[in-house]
Amino acid sequence: MIRLVIIVIFLVVFFLFSIPMFGIEWIIGKINKRAKDISSLRIVQWAFKVILFLSGVRTKVIGLENIPKDEPVLFVGNHKSNFDIIISYAKMPNLTGFVAKKEIEKIPLLRTWMRYLYCLFLDRKDIKEGLKTILEGIDQIKHGISMVIFPEGSRNSFEDGMRPFKEGSLKLAEKSGCKIIPMVQNNTQEIMETHSPRIKRTRTVLEFGEPIDLKELSAEDRKFAGAYIQKIIEAKYMENKKLL
């Protein structure tokens, strides 16, 4: 429990300091929007790296070279832990937003940082609002901001398997024309979920796969792109278990 208590204390301090930082970031944005975007990204990444250090998480990262440096992409990942976001976002080289569930938007201060970083809040119960969110994500990708989505819809507790990917989630890539980067994480559920609320020192694996251009797939694979990407992620997940 000591790790959890230390992390909670750090988060309280970080969010207290966030209040004046929001004002500073706002001023920076008025002068240079790009500078504000990058500074917000680095501040949040720093906070996530501190959380990972305090948690005792050590991650083997594979395939960073697969992330294009000069174009936005859609990261598509499996999802077993809340730490999936912390681990992967700490490694993002460029401005990147997450598609998160609508409920997170109710959390003060956190939602401000997320908005600064172009995260979107998806209402899975309202089809019309959900469509508006997807369209907003497509527009952000077209303006150079990468996005991350977990097509299972929520965290799963299966030891190895995954929930079927929601085909609509890949519309972000299909309609924007961006490439997809499969993002595979192993063992993240062992940090907390399997013995919550205790946080345990854990080794994880994060792999960024080679870019996939939907336009280059066969008509059948494009039609069921979610299933196609899921098979790639499942194969890499099973392969990377031996690295733990």
Side-chain angles (χ1 to χ4, degrees), residues 81-96:
S81 170
N82 287 322
F83 274 82
D84 293 337
I85 297 170
I86 297 173
I87 293 170
S88 57
Y89 204 77
K91 301 298 181 183
M92 294 296 169
N94 303 312
L95 192 61
T96 306

Side-chain angles (χ1 to χ4, degrees), residues 54-238:
L54 297 174
S55 301
V57 175
R58 298 294 180 268
T59 300
K60 179 178 180 62
V61 182
I62 305 169
L64 271 174
E65 70 278 3
N66 289 325
I67 303 176
K69 295 180 173 60
D70 55 355
E71 61 181 288
V73 297
L74 176 66
F75 295 93
V76 176
N78 61 316
H79 195 23
K80 287 182 173 292
S81 170
N82 287 322
F83 274 82
D84 293 337
I85 297 170
I86 297 173
I87 293 170
S88 57
Y89 204 77
K91 301 298 181 183
M92 294 296 169
N94 303 312
L95 192 61
T96 306
F98 270 82
V99 178
K101 58 185 179 181
K102 184 72 173 178
E103 291 77 3
I104 296 179
E105 194 175 17
K106 298 176 182 178
I107 305 175
L109 302 180
L110 175 60
R111 67 184 173 218
T112 305
W113 279 121
M114 293 179 73
R115 287 170 180 163
Y116 276 12
L117 296 174
Y118 299 92
C119 294
L120 301 176
F121 302 96
L122 181 64
D123 189 340
R124 290 170 291 185
K125 298 178 182 177
D126 189 322
I127 296 176
K128 185 177 179 180
E129 287 301 313
L131 178 59
K132 286 172 62 177
T133 301
I134 295 299
L135 291 175
E136 188 176 352
I138 292 168
D139 184 65
Q140 289 188 172
I141 292 173
K142 288 181 176 179
H143 284 84
I145 301 165
S146 294
M147 297 297 298
V148 178
I149 195 164
F150 299 109
E152 292 172 273
S154 61
R155 287 180 288 117
N156 80 68
S157 57
F158 308 135
E159 182 175 350
D160 289 325
M162 301 175 192
R163 292 189 177 92
F165 281 14
K166 299 180 185 300
E167 294 291 339
S169 60
L170 300 188
K171 292 292 184 185
L172 288 167
E174 180 185 333
K175 298 299 184 182
S176 68
C178 76
K179 294 182 177 66
I180 291 173
I181 300 289
M183 188 175 72
V184 190
Q185 299 197 62
N186 285 70
N187 212 40
T188 55
Q189 74 278 7
E190 293 299 324
I191 302 170
M192 185 175 70
E193 275 72 14
T194 58
H195 40 75
S196 181
R198 188 165 63 93
I199 292 176
K200 185 177 71 174
R201 182 186 298 272
T202 309
R203 292 178 63 231
T204 74
V205 180
L206 166 63
E207 179 170 359
F208 296 102
E210 294 183 0
I212 297 170
D213 191 336
L214 293 180
K215 297 188 294 295
E216 295 179 357
L217 301 182
S218 67
E220 182 70 10
D221 287 336
R222 282 200 307 273
K223 183 177 180 181
F224 300 104
Y228 177 84
I229 301 297
Q230 183 167 5
K231 287 180 182 177
I232 292 174
I233 291 176
E234 286 176 332
K236 288 184 178 294
Y237 179 87
M238 297 305 295

